[in-house]
Amino acid sequence: MGLILGIDPGAATGVAAYEGGKLVELLTIKPFQLERFLCGRAGAAPSVMFEDSRLETRLWNARQKGAYGAALATARSVGQVDAWCVLIADLCADMGISAHGISPTVKGAKVAASAFGRITGWTKRCNQHERDAAMVAWKFRNSVVLKGRPC
């Protein structure tokens, strides 16, 4: 086992790190900081699991259904996240880091902070983006890490 990184792409990108199966780090960063984040951990030959919206065939909209404005806002948001998924996959490929997209359905529903602590053992503060990143990688936290090359 080695370093497993979970990423929840978005304007506020959640990142999580598991070492030896244990959750050791949660952060929220901007998408432009992804390369720096990955480069800082590339020497540990991580594997990246990221929530990949491109793998979903259905779009979910928490706003009022049927409204054109809500549909447009959802399309813009999903388009941005799709672009960040491409960025993550391309950065990892360029850096020789093993990366795997996980559909939001496979990741599962959002987890409240109280339940998250019980599930992961995390006792520090965290936000929803960080919890989502951790849950993307949760099932893979004890996986064998494929070797990558450092920056």
Side-chain angles (χ1 to χ4, degrees):
M1 286 184 290
L3 183 62
I4 305 292
L5 302 175
I7 301 176
D8 175 42
T13 296
V15 293
Y18 290 92
E19 286 185 37
K22 182 178 183 206
L23 182 60
V24 296
E25 182 178 26
L26 289 175
L27 298 169
T28 302
I29 62 176
K30 295 288 187 182
F32 74 86
Q33 296 172 306
L34 276 168
E35 184 174 12
R36 189 176 325 137
F37 172 80
L38 291 171
C39 208
R41 287 147 185 86
S47 280
V48 170
M49 307 298 166
F50 64 98
E51 186 170 6
D52 193 342
S53 57
R54 301 169 301 166
L55 300 175
E56 286 293 319
T57 57
R58 183 172 179 180
L59 297 179
W60 299 97
N61 186 355
R63 297 176 183 91
Q64 181 180 345
K65 297 194 183 306
Y68 174 76
L72 183 58
T74 298
R76 284 183 177 148
S77 178
V78 171
Q80 286 177 337
V81 174
D82 284 357
W84 290 322
C85 290
V86 170
L87 174 69
I88 293 167
D90 288 352
L91 279 172
C92 289
D94 186 59
M95 297 169 73
I97 295 172
S98 172
H100 309 278
I102 309 298
S103 78
T105 301
V106 170
K107 180 210 64 157
K110 299 213 179 277
V111 177
S114 57
F116 181 76
R118 287 192 302 276
I119 293 166
T120 65
W122 188 258
T123 58
K124 300 174 188 171
R125 291 179 58 101
C126 58
N127 63 43
Q128 189 62 59
H129 306 294
E130 295 163 350
R131 291 192 297 273
D132 283 350
M135 296 315 292
V136 166
W138 176 253
K139 295 176 186 174
F140 308 97
R141 68 192 183 282
N142 293 313
S143 298
V144 174
V145 175
L146 302 175
K147 289 286 181 189
R149 60 180 166 78
C151 294

